[in-house]
Structures are given as structure tokens and as C-alpha cells.
Amino acid sequence: MIESKTITEIKASAGDNPYFVALKCRECGKRYPKVAIHICEDDFGPLECAYDYDAIANRLTREEIALRPKSMWRYRELLPIDGPPTVGLQVGYTPLVRADNLARVLGVDEIYIKNDAVNYPTLSFKDRVVAVALSRAREMGFETVACASTGNLANSVAANSAAAGMKSFVFIPYDLERSKVLNSLVYGTRLVGIRGPYDQVNRLCSEIAGKYGWGFVNVNLRPYYAEGSKTMGFEIAEQLGWRVPQHTVIPMASGSLLTKIHKAYTELQRIGLVADSRFSVYGAQASGCAPIAQAWKSRSEIINFVREPRTIAKSLAIGTPADGYYAVGSMRVTGGAAEDCSDEEIVEAIRLLAETEGIFAETAGGVTLACTKKLIESGSIPRHQSIVVCITGNGLKTVEAITDRLPSPDVINPSLKDFDALLASS
Ligand SMILES: *Cc1c(COP(=O)(O)O)cnc(C)c1O
Ligand SMILES: [Zn+2]
């Protein structure tokens, strides 16, 4: 990768974190220095962050973590930055809600909502990955950061870079939801809409990253960015009283979040913060763009790309999922499964979660809950074991998905008689 090399040479990493030791190829295991590269030069395998788990196990205890501020940075030994975090200090530690009303409807014993619909500051789980990527970008000396996004990442890069005083460019498919566009523009970022689906946005961004030497959070900074997702898994385990749930259902776009929740649970077991126990991870996609779920269902190693995604779950509409292959692997080794659902089922699930638990999720949340329901009904997820549903984004950002699906409010004159009549008629 010629473009990454250039960046590598300019941006030497500052300081040192003894627990985060190297970048490592997922395919061949070759180690690389902790710089702005993301692909192995031998086999084009993705690079990921490697840690010294023995040193972390000797250092980190439940008690120590309990004393730290309630943010994603309480697990900082397991995150890939060298110095203290400088961007997104308040991100994470979102509620884990025991959802007993929902449990009654679904006919299960123990189900929880991990609610990143209220993650700070931009109301999606993407604030976690951006906090890590921008903190790392700063350590490497990048002044301009950028991303290819299906919406939520754009919002988060725009907001967090504004707060950090960094310049930003965000690239999105031009036809995203109005609110996703607005929620980027307001921060004064340079927003560029691309006429084409996400995959073409992403390809263009690889070219731009090479030419302009910016820190693209999900291109040349991807190994760092992706690690931020682990904190959702760390928090789930801690909030359950240091216990890994038996079943975790996770929405998939590129498939990264799913692989990182798997990695998070595995790391907690490895360093002894939770007891070893069996757990399964399940992936959820919308049928209109379900390349990973389709591969799973056809028992294939090969992900058939989706050229023209057609779903209201735009945040998940990635037709060429970069981590799809590894997501299938995570589901297989943990005994999980993948499921997909229709737009109709997405809308029903958004309403079900709102009406039972008072939580308004975006379309991706509808996907996750609809697929959870199907996995329970098909017997893939047993009814008497612990289940966590990962809600990753806020319903206020995708209102067009349900606008036409809700009843209109009653309108009356300011008169008690009119109200009496209204009550009597309903
Ligand atoms: C980005 C995103 C995901 C998952 O993305 P991955 O690429 O699979 O890590 C899930 N939900 C929402 C709302 C998102 O914006
Ligand atoms: Zn390799």
C-alpha cells in the first residue's frame, strides 16, 4: 500500500503504551509498528491491534475499574492509544436496561437492552469508535480527519472533531435520511454527498486518503477505530455484574461491531475479569442488504456482494462488508447465527421496543430486535437463558421510517365538552 507508507513515514507514533504492543495481520500474524496502516503488505489481510494480555491481567482488577469515571475509557488498558485520551472523554457507559415488559411479549426469561441510542454526544454507538480514532489521530499528528459513512459515523466525526478543534471531511451517499445529513452539517464539517451507494463512497475515500494524507477513521485508522467497539462488550459484562451474557444480538453493517464484541468477551475471559463461560454472538441485517446473513444461511465462506441495497435501514446498508468473513467466523466459533428481516418487520420492532420499554431506536435497532424475535421463535436462541440486544442508534435520526405508520394525533378545541366527546368516541 503505497499511500499508507507515505503516511506511515510522516506520522510516527508518539509516546508509548506498554499494553498495546503492535498491529498484527489477522491472516498471517505478521506484526507491524503502531502507525496509520490497515492492510498487510504480504496478503492484504486486515490489521488489528495486539496487546500484552499477561501484563494487563497483572495490572487490571474489577475494583480498579470501579473507581474510574463512568465512560468507555475505564477499560483504557485494552484500547489502542499511547497517552491519555483527548477526544470523546464522556463517551460510553450507556444504560443496560433489564427489559421485562419486552420479555413477556417475546416469551423469554431474561433480556436486556444495551442502549447506545443515548450514547454521548451523537446518539449512536459510533461515538465509541470515533473517540478512539480521533484520540489516536491526534497522537499521530493528523490535523484533518475524515470518514466514509452511512450516516451515524458522519455525525460522530463531525461533532467530535469540532469539539477537538480538528478539521473534518465526511463523505456519505447523497440520499441519506434528512436528519443524518443535518446532524453532520450543524457542526460545520465539510459534508460531501456522493452519487452512489456506500461502497462507492468507501472506494473513493481510499483514493482520497492516499492522495491527501488525512486521517480517515475507517480507512487508514481502521485498526484503531474498530477497537472502540469493544467497549460496548466490556460494559455489557461489567453491567451484568462481571458476567458475559449467553446470547448477544448485534446489528451488522461491515460486520466489525460483531467481531469486536466477540473479541471483548474473549479478552475479559483471557485477563480473568469474568469467569470462562460459553457465549454466542448473533448478527442481524435487513433483508434488502444482507450479504453476511445470506452467506451464513447458505453455509458459505464467500460473501456475495449486494450491488444495490434496498432497505430503510440505511445505516446498515453496506453491500461489500469489510469484516463479513470474520463476522461469519465469530458466529460459527461461538455457536451463534445470523438472521435478516423485512422493512415491515423493522418498523414493527421499532414500535414494539418503544411501546414496551420506552426506547426509541433507529431502523438499525428495529433490525436487531426483529431478528432477535425471529431467532427466539426459530429456537436458535433458547427462551430460558440470558439475552442482550444491542441497540446502536436513535430513532430521532430516522423518523421518516415510521412517520406514515403512526396514527395522527387528535385535535380538539380547548373545551372540556370536546374532550368528553373525544373520550366517549374512542
Ligand atoms: C455503523 C453502525 C452499525 C454497525 O456497523 P459495523 O460496520 O458492522 O461495525 C450498527 N448500527 C448502527 C446504527 C450503525 O450506525
Ligand atoms: Zn498478512
Side-chain angles (χ1 to χ4, degrees), residues 125-126 152 251-257 315-316 362 364 392-393:
F125 103 93
K126 289 297 198 305
N152 283 315
M252 300 186 293
S254 72
S256 175
L257 174 62
S315 56
L316 301 181
E362 75 147 78
T392 47

Side-chain angles (χ1 to χ4, degrees), residues 225-306:
Y225 155 97
E227 290 289 288
S229 292
K230 292 191 307 188
T231 60
M232 200 163 177
F234 296 150
E235 288 172 19
I236 290 169
E238 184 183 355
Q239 289 168 315
L240 285 174
W242 293 111
R243 168 167 73 100
V244 172
Q246 287 156 299
H247 308 279
T248 307
V249 190
I250 304 150
M252 300 186 293
S254 72
S256 175
L257 174 62
L258 183 137
T259 65
K260 293 298 176 174
I261 288 181
H262 176 205
K263 187 177 182 189
Y265 292 164
T266 309
E267 285 180 341
L268 293 180
Q269 294 184 339
R270 171 87 202 268
I271 62 175
L273 285 183
V274 299
D276 281 347
S277 63
R278 264 190 59 89
F279 66 82
S280 305
V281 292
Y282 301 79
Q285 293 201 297
S287 304
C289 184
I292 310 175
Q294 284 312 320
W296 174 266
K297 287 182 173 179
S298 59
R299 298 169 185 281
S300 165
E301 291 271 305
I302 293 155
I303 313 278
N304 286 314
F305 296 157
V306 174

Side-chain angles (χ1 to χ4, degrees), residues 25 27-30 40 42-43 45:
C25 174
E27 287 302 318
C28 69
K30 180 169 175 177
C40 176
D42 292 349
D43 52 20

Side-chain angles (χ1 to χ4, degrees), residues 248-250 282-284 296 336-340 368-382:
T248 307
V249 190
I250 304 150
Y282 301 79
W296 174 266
E339 188 51 274
D340 59 273
T368 313
L369 183 56
C371 290
T372 303
K373 189 161 175 269
K374 292 171 90 165
L375 288 161
I376 292 166
E377 283 163 1
S378 69
S380 294
I381 297 180

Side-chain angles (χ1 to χ4, degrees), residues 181-194:
V181 174
L182 257 165
N183 275 292
S184 294
L185 285 173
V186 71
Y187 303 108
T189 187
R190 190 70 194 273
L191 179 79
V192 184
I194 307 295

Side-chain angles (χ1 to χ4, degrees), residues 17-86:
N17 166 359
Y19 306 110
F20 165 41
V21 292
L23 296 182
K24 195 175 92 185
C25 174
R26 275 202 78 150
E27 287 302 318
C28 69
K30 180 169 175 177
R31 291 191 169 220
Y32 289 87
K34 306 187 284 185
V35 295
I37 51 172
H38 64 116
I39 288 173
C40 176
E41 59 192 14
D42 292 349
D43 52 20
F44 303 106
L47 303 185
E48 68 167 354
C49 299
Y51 301 85
D52 180 348
Y53 292 118
D54 292 336
I56 297 173
N58 285 332
R59 162 84 182 77
L60 198 57
T61 62
R62 294 176 182 181
E63 293 70 30
E64 164 79 30
I65 292 170
L67 293 172
R68 296 178 177 175
K70 289 196 158 58
S71 80
M72 60 178 266
W73 296 106
R74 60 209 266 114
Y75 317 102
R76 61 176 175 251
E77 286 81 355
L78 292 157
L79 293 171
I81 59 172
D82 277 324
T86 58

Side-chain angles (χ1 to χ4, degrees), residues 161-200:
S161 64
M166 302 168 97
K167 274 179 274 183
S168 68
F169 276 82
V170 306
F171 299 84
I172 57 171
Y174 76 103
D175 60 349
L176 286 189
E177 298 93 341
R178 246 181 94 73
S179 174
K180 293 260 169 79
V181 174
L182 257 165
N183 275 292
S184 294
L185 285 173
V186 71
Y187 303 108
T189 187
R190 190 70 194 273
L191 179 79
V192 184
I194 307 295
R195 285 185 213 96
Y198 173 81
D199 303 289
Q200 293 180 23

